[in-house]
Amino acid sequence: MKNIKYMILPVLLLITGSLIAQQTPAPKQTTPITIVGATAHIGNGEVIENSLIILEDGKIRTITDANTTKMPYRGTIIEAQGKHVYPGFIAPNSTLGLVEIDAVTQSDDEDELGEMLPHVRSIIAYNAESQVVESMRPNGVLIGQITPRGGRISGTSSVVQFDAWNWEDAVLKENDGVHVNWPSSVRRGRWWEGEEPGIKPNNKYEEEVLKLKDFFKNSKAYLAGPRDRTNLPFEAMDPVFSGKSKIYIHADGEKEIVDIINFKKENDLKNVVLVGAYNGYKVADELKKNNIPVLIGRVHSTPNLEDQDYDLPYKMAKLLNDKGVLVGLETSGQMERMNSRNLPFYAGTVVAFGANKEDALKMITSNTAKILGVDDTLGTLEVGKDATVFISEGDALDMRTNKVTKAFIQGRDISLESHQTELGKRYSDKYTQ
């Protein structure tokens, strides 16, 4: 009897999973698509009020003002007067596809044992059929940077598109950068150790920074030597030192950010990106001077300290942008995978607190594409770039009007259905009965 019970459970799980599986990925584009009349938000600050866009062979072949051209329409015609078209939004520093259910250990692949893990590749753990991943698309979030967590050096991220059978189909840029969690100079009192609550100095800060510096020093020495024995962590640092890949350093404190700037200089690191950067606005001039872009922490947050402006997280991106720092928005934090669908509305909040609307749009399109090193194919509506675009009935940065009617990834007409949209329809029908 007990054996029968254990046999039935996996079968039920299999049946349930098949009922709520992800939508089938769209086939390759075979017919040109012409989008006519939409307001095109290019993603670089420009807007075309009455646009003509032609997508062909997965690329943007034409984008122009429909008022000034007599170019013939081709293939499938989409009349989009009164609507808006955007480049696909990009969610950086995300664990989408690495964790499905937080409480189920077997579905959690965001972290590995160890401290210095630059050789750990998040992409091979990415689940392209995640139900959480498919729920991004109805809001226009079509691209993500899949990032590991944990340790001092978490591992290597990769950039993917959100309509694929597996990680091999999904990947757009493999191993784009290594992620480092910089030590914190402060910590909170540990009640389980009998310490008083509140923020205290981290007495081991210098020691922890020294360990990180030693790892970089030893990596350089190994890479410059004969390499008689393979050391995978040291090997993985080669693209970082050569500048072929980015190094994303996660930190929030002012002291930590200043130390990171000095660390960049000491190690001659060419492609440093600051992630989080809660106090980055205090040293914005130095970030600009040292050509360090920022992926700013979640906009929909409360201030860290009681004496800070209530709206500091809302206006932080504008403060950095006004100083000339290249800024992108990221969504990490509590329930980050589910909240990633709100990325466009974080940009909308940045607008509500002073930023220009097209500047805020750049923070989830072209700026982020530049930071991740994929701006040659993504981030803007320009001829030759991937046809990764979507059409919304209204302003995509406003949750009241962001109603995506069509979305394309590399020209493929993707499904906008998800488990959530199916439930939405089900319960809408309930109240009509």
Side-chain angles (χ1 to χ4, degrees):
M1 189 68 178
K2 187 180 292 186
N3 290 337
I4 294 175
K5 179 178 70 174
Y6 289 136
M7 290 172 62
I8 291 174
L9 181 59
V11 172
L12 288 175
L13 289 173
L14 182 61
I15 294 172
T16 303
S18 65
L19 290 175
I20 56 177
Q22 190 187 41
Q23 300 298 319
T24 301
K28 185 177 180 180
Q29 181 184 11
T30 57
T31 303
I33 297 166
T34 302
I35 304 170
V36 185
T39 297
H41 300 264
I42 307 303
N44 60 4
E46 299 177 17
V47 177
I48 301 175
E49 296 293 343
N50 182 22
S51 65
L52 172 66
I53 303 172
I54 299 177
L55 315 179
E56 188 174 9
D57 296 328
K59 298 291 183 180
I60 299 172
R61 296 303 181 192
T62 300
I63 178 162
T64 187
D65 189 331
N67 294 322
T68 61
T69 184
K70 294 183 179 180
M71 183 175 294
Y73 302 166
R74 302 178 58 195
T76 303
I77 313 300
I78 300 176
E79 298 287 350
Q81 287 80 4
K83 298 183 179 181
H84 298 255
V85 61
Y86 297 85
F89 296 155
I90 307 170
N93 187 34
S94 172
T95 53
L96 282 163
L98 297 183
V99 184
E100 194 68 9
I101 304 171
D102 290 281
V104 179
T105 304
Q106 291 83 349
S107 75
D108 188 338
D109 287 318
E110 68 179 350
D111 192 4
E112 293 291 339
L113 294 174
E115 283 295 303
M116 305 295 185
L117 306 169
H119 57 298
V120 168
R121 300 169 61 237
S122 64
I123 188 63
I124 60 173
Y126 174 68
N127 175 20
E129 295 190 285
S130 165
Q131 285 188 3
V132 186
V133 168
E134 75 172 6
S135 71
M136 302 298 112
R137 303 191 303 237
N139 278 356
V141 182
L142 307 181
I143 307 294
Q145 180 198 38
I146 309 307
T147 305
R149 297 282 188 259
R152 183 62 63 209
I153 301 179
S154 302
T156 302
S157 58
S158 292
V159 181
V160 302
Q161 50 88 2
F162 291 153
D163 184 62
W165 286 110
N166 49 48
W167 73 261
E168 291 95 335
D169 294 339
V171 69
L172 297 175
K173 185 170 184 179
E174 193 169 347
N175 304 332
D176 72 286
V178 170
H179 291 255
V180 174
N181 298 302
W182 192 264
S184 176
S185 63
V186 297
R187 61 178 178 81
R188 294 190 179 274
R190 299 168 294 182
W191 58 267
W192 61 91
E193 294 285 347
E195 297 176 351
E196 293 293 325
I199 297 176
K200 306 174 184 299
N202 177 11
N203 297 326
K204 294 186 177 181
Y205 175 70
E206 297 298 337
E207 177 185 333
E208 291 168 352
V209 170
L210 182 60
K211 286 181 180 178
L212 184 60
K213 288 182 176 180
D214 285 345
F215 179 83
F216 272 70
K217 186 188 300 182
N218 292 336
S219 297
K220 280 187 175 181
Y222 167 84
L223 293 169
R227 307 191 197 184
D228 296 332
R229 293 184 179 180
T230 300
N231 184 305
L232 291 179
F234 290 167
E235 291 278 356
M237 295 298 292
D238 195 6
V240 172
F241 293 128
S242 67
K244 291 180 180 178
S245 69
K246 309 275 184 173
I247 177 166
Y248 299 90
I249 306 183
H250 300 238
D252 285 317
E254 181 179 359
K255 173 177 172 52
E256 289 84 343
I257 295 171
V258 171
D259 288 346
I260 288 168
I261 293 172
N262 293 329
F263 180 75
K264 174 184 185 294
K265 294 175 182 176
E266 291 168 5
N267 289 277
D268 191 28
L269 299 174
K270 299 174 179 61
N271 288 315
V272 172
V273 177
L274 186 61
V275 183
Y278 184 83
N279 287 291
Y281 69 97
K282 295 180 179 179
V283 289
D285 290 333
E286 287 300 308
L287 291 172
K288 169 64 176 175
K289 180 181 175 181
N290 287 277
N291 194 31
I292 298 177
V294 172
L295 291 173
I296 203 78
R298 190 188 295 180
V299 172
H300 289 182
S301 302
T302 55
N304 285 351
L305 301 175
E306 292 180 356
D307 60 349
Q308 292 177 330
D309 293 348
Y310 80 93
D311 58 356
L312 180 59
Y314 307 153
K315 63 186 181 182
M316 203 175 292
K318 181 182 185 299
L319 295 175
L320 286 165
N321 186 69
D322 287 350
K323 289 287 189 176
V325 177
L326 185 64
V327 180
L329 304 184
E330 57 106 357
T331 64
S332 64
Q334 189 175 26
M335 291 189 69
E336 65 181 67
R337 289 166 293 281
M338 294 70 176
N339 278 313
S340 292
R341 68 174 70 92
N342 291 325
L343 179 65
F345 311 137
Y346 298 162
T349 299
V350 172
V351 175
F353 284 81
N356 173 274
K357 183 174 288 187
E358 298 307 316
D359 283 345
L361 177 65
K362 287 160 68 174
M363 295 176 189
I364 56 175
T365 56
S366 61
N367 284 9
T368 302
K370 290 175 184 175
I371 291 171
L372 302 186
V374 292
D375 54 309
D376 57 334
T377 56
L378 296 166
T380 56
L381 302 177
E382 295 182 272
V383 173
K385 291 196 174 183
D386 285 357
T388 300
V389 306
F390 70 91
I391 304 170
S392 173
E393 288 187 4
D395 182 356
L397 305 190
D398 186 342
M399 66 177 66
R400 297 168 299 180
T401 58
N402 182 349
K403 298 179 180 178
V404 178
T405 57
K406 277 286 185 180
F408 305 91
I409 292 179
Q410 296 175 325
R412 297 179 296 110
D413 188 354
I414 67 170
S415 170
L416 294 174
E417 295 298 319
S418 70
H419 183 52
Q420 291 179 323
T421 60
E422 289 172 5
L423 287 176
K425 291 174 183 176
R426 175 186 175 190
Y427 286 102
S428 293
D429 292 342
K430 172 183 177 180
Y431 294 104
T432 63
Q433 294 178 1

